[in-house]
Amino acid sequence: MFENKKILILGFARSGYDAAKYLINKNNKVIVTDKKEIKDEKYNELKKLGVEFVFNNEDSDLLDNTFDYLIKSPGVPIDHPYVLKANELSVEVINEVEMAYRIIRKEHNIKLIAITGSNGKTTTTTLIYNMLKQSNNNVFLAGNIGYPLSGFIDKIKDNDIIVMETSCQQLENLKEFKPDIAVITNITEAHIDFMKTYEHYKYVKSKLLQNQTKEDIAILNNESDELKDAVRNAKSTKKYFSSKNIITGSYIKENEIYYYNEKIIALKDIKLRGIHNYENIMASIMVVKELGVTKEDINKVLTTFMGVEHRLEYVNTVNNRTFYNDTEATNIKCTQIALSSFEEPTIIILGGLERGQNFNDLAPYMKNVKAILAIGQCRKRVVDFAKDNGKLVYEYEYLKDATLKAYEISQENDVILLSPASASWDQYKQCEDRGAEFKNIVNNLIDNSK
């Protein structure tokens, strides 16, 4: 299938590296091309194995009809010149996930769980993985969550379970890929710059179910009309979860989560907060119940899981003040979700890179906010927003000063939330660095309070 072929890999990211490493050991001629020159340890390793590299070549002249496959990295645009030329030449365009899937399905009898959605897919994927591990299953975590599937090809055995997050960029070039259980958490308008139109984005998301039959299961959000419309023609056996209604499936009743008629857990016992996370949890429960995971193992995860790092992540409690790190909230929508997650009095740290973001879109979500700490390049506009909405506000350039002030003005049972609605590049290389600094500041508060 992928032996003795001529293959062009477009994009030398993590998935491109893992795909090239596998393919070069199967007697393939492998050429990697990228718009920028990357000569690191991975480059040196693959070069020694016989992989060829062509950098800084945005034209499509490298590609001709002697190639068997073009393997496109997820971040490469769908209208890239190489992709368009491959289509003209009838050179099959796939991605690393599709390649690995074909090999694994041919060689092994496995269970594949795939998760997508506009929001919540990383948390849902992680919860499913942890619940299955808790139940002593042999399970692999793969996909968009940071672990290319091709890196596991030689490790997977019969009866293993693969849990993988699939992004719209990955779904774009999937053809034979068919999960035994598919999850779509929701569909809202996103990634239009990459997908070109919302209609195409919805179509690509629905591709997760395109090869499923009635023997396969699709776990879907009952409250997402856009989602139900997008998958209306899927042949899957569809099962639903709902955060608003009591349905046949998983639902919330009297502040407890149910799986059909079985009470699973009280909301107060769950570490994660917010309706969006309760939806992620219900989706996870529905998946693992299909695979025989017990209520006890589910609860062990839900009562200890603090969240995906940097995404509304519980940090710690200091003198009855609870700190949450949501540094990944680099846009207004994410901060709206974060603010919707708390009923307690909240002190929020807002601001970062100036990108013209409209903080006024946060106004309907400020009911429980008692104070705002404005930071970063756009802090002056945050101050203006706070004053226009009658909120107490303090202005600091740096996160440390803002966090210490937030703690100083807080009272018992307050939430102190870093959810900046802004990118971090004005002061940090990446938003994870901002989150790590916030957690260090909080941990120092704990040490100093002892």
Side-chain angles (χ1 to χ4, degrees):
M1 186 187 309
F2 290 98
E3 297 183 11
N4 305 307
K5 304 293 184 182
K6 186 177 180 181
I7 300 169
L8 179 63
I9 296 177
L10 180 56
F12 188 39
R14 182 176 294 184
S15 63
Y17 162 77
D18 277 333
K21 186 174 180 179
Y22 175 83
L23 291 167
I24 197 63
N25 289 314
K26 298 297 178 181
N27 202 38
N28 295 293
K29 180 178 177 62
V30 180
I31 302 172
V32 174
T33 183
D34 199 289
K35 66 180 180 181
K36 57 185 178 181
E37 188 168 312
I38 305 171
K39 293 188 175 180
D40 54 13
E41 290 182 9
K42 292 180 178 180
Y43 163 85
N44 292 330
E45 176 190 2
L46 295 182
K47 192 78 173 173
K48 288 178 182 177
L49 292 173
V51 175
E52 299 177 26
F53 287 86
V54 177
F55 293 122
N56 304 310
N57 186 359
E58 284 290 279
D59 297 324
S60 58
D61 55 352
L62 178 62
L63 185 67
D64 58 34
N65 59 10
T66 65
F67 283 86
D68 297 286
Y69 297 101
L70 172 65
I71 297 180
K72 183 180 85 65
S73 292
V76 173
I78 59 178
D79 57 352
H80 190 282
Y82 277 101
V83 176
L84 298 178
K85 186 168 183 181
N87 292 333
E88 291 175 8
L89 296 172
S90 297
V91 174
E92 187 175 14
V93 180
I94 59 173
N95 58 28
E96 169 269 336
V97 172
E98 178 74 9
M99 179 204 83
Y101 169 82
R102 293 182 187 182
I103 296 166
I104 291 167
R105 275 292 195 207
K106 181 181 178 184
E107 296 181 354
H108 300 291
N109 177 29
I110 52 100
K111 281 284 186 184
L112 174 62
I113 303 162
I115 301 95
T116 196
S118 301
N119 295 294
K121 54 186 176 291
T122 301
T123 297
T124 304
T125 302
T126 307
L127 281 168
I128 292 169
Y129 173 77
N130 287 345
M131 290 173 182
L132 290 169
K133 288 289 285 185
Q134 181 67 43
S135 190
N136 294 317
N137 289 283
N138 195 32
V139 57
F140 292 88
L141 181 64
N144 189 59
I145 203 164
Y147 309 102
L149 185 58
S150 55
F152 299 116
I153 293 174
D154 295 326
K155 300 175 184 177
I156 290 169
K157 304 181 297 294
D158 284 350
N159 302 315
D160 285 348
I161 301 172
I162 300 170
V163 181
M164 63 178 302
E165 177 185 329
T166 48
S167 67
C168 61
Q169 291 90 342
Q170 290 171 324
L171 287 164
E172 174 72 36
N173 297 112
L174 294 182
K175 297 181 179 179
E176 297 178 14
F177 186 85
K178 183 178 81 70
D180 300 283
I181 304 176
V183 179
I184 306 183
T185 58
N186 46 59
I187 292 182
T188 57
E189 191 166 328
H191 299 293
I192 306 306
D193 55 338
F194 191 94
M195 288 292 151
K196 308 306 179 186
T197 68
Y198 185 33
E199 288 305 311
H200 184 63
Y201 172 75
K202 288 189 289 185
Y203 160 72
V204 169
K205 285 294 189 186
S206 74
K207 284 181 67 178
L208 188 64
L209 313 187
Q210 69 179 355
N211 295 320
Q212 284 195 311
T213 68
K214 65 180 181 180
E215 282 74 39
D216 303 307
I217 295 168
I219 307 296
L220 306 168
N221 190 335
N222 188 66
E223 304 311 319
S224 179
D225 291 334
E226 295 270 39
L227 167 56
K228 289 193 282 189
D229 180 64
V231 302
R232 64 188 181 280
N233 295 323
K235 297 181 174 66
S236 325
T237 295
K238 298 171 186 172
K239 300 187 178 185
Y240 294 91
F241 60 91
S242 173
S243 58
K244 295 181 180 179
N245 299 289
I246 297 174
I247 62 168
T248 302
S250 187
Y251 54 88
I252 299 171
K253 183 175 76 170
E254 298 175 351
N255 291 317
E256 294 183 307
I257 290 179
Y258 283 76
Y259 172 75
Y260 292 89
N261 294 320
E262 180 185 6
K263 186 188 300 182
I264 301 296
I265 191 169
L267 300 184
K268 66 180 178 60
D269 295 328
I270 298 171
K271 289 292 185 184
L272 294 180
R273 301 292 298 272
I275 288 295
H276 66 292
N277 272 324
Y278 300 150
E279 290 180 341
N280 299 335
I281 288 165
M282 287 187 284
S284 305
I285 290 169
M286 295 195 75
V287 170
V288 300
K289 277 290 193 178
E290 293 289 337
L291 298 173
V293 176
T294 65
K295 171 183 171 179
E296 289 71 27
D297 283 335
I298 291 169
N299 283 3
K300 285 177 184 176
V301 172
L302 294 180
T303 54
T304 57
F305 182 69
M306 301 295 188
V308 176
E309 188 176 19
H310 304 307
R311 301 185 186 198
L312 207 57
E313 173 195 11
Y314 169 75
V315 178
N316 222 315
T317 300
V318 185
N319 292 327
N320 292 321
R321 284 84 163 160
T322 309
F323 289 80
Y324 284 86
N325 164 33
D326 194 34
T327 186
E328 290 269 8
T330 58
N331 58 57
I332 297 293
K333 179 65 177 176
C334 290
T335 299
Q336 290 174 341
I337 291 172
L339 288 170
S340 299
S341 300
F342 301 101
E343 295 181 358
E344 298 90 340
T346 301
I347 299 171
I348 186 170
I349 301 171
L350 278 176
L353 182 70
E354 178 59 80
R355 292 200 292 189
Q357 57 271 53
N358 187 359
F359 292 104
N360 290 325
D361 288 343
L362 294 175
Y365 300 85
M366 302 297 289
K367 179 180 69 172
N368 298 315
V369 172
K370 60 187 285 188
I372 296 172
L373 280 298
I375 64 169
Q377 194 179 75
C378 64
R379 61 189 182 276
K380 299 293 185 186
R381 289 203 304 111
V382 173
V383 169
D384 291 341
F385 161 73
K387 290 179 177 178
D388 288 346
N389 286 272
K391 298 296 181 181
L392 181 66
V393 62
Y394 298 89
E395 177 189 343
Y396 293 97
E397 183 174 3
Y398 299 111
L399 176 62
K400 181 177 181 179
D401 299 323
T403 305
L404 294 176
K405 186 64 176 180
Y407 179 61
E408 177 189 324
I409 65 173
S410 65
Q411 297 174 309
E412 287 194 2
N413 301 316
D414 284 355
V415 166
I416 299 175
L417 170 67
L418 171 66
S419 187
S422 309
S424 62
W425 302 320
D426 57 330
Q427 296 180 12
Y428 303 89
K429 184 177 180 181
Q430 55 190 4
C431 70
E432 290 86 353
D433 295 337
R434 178 172 62 189
E437 180 181 340
F438 180 69
K439 292 196 290 184
N440 284 335
I441 297 166
V442 173
N443 289 331
N444 284 332
L445 284 173
I446 295 170
D447 293 338
N448 293 332
S449 67
K450 291 179 179 177

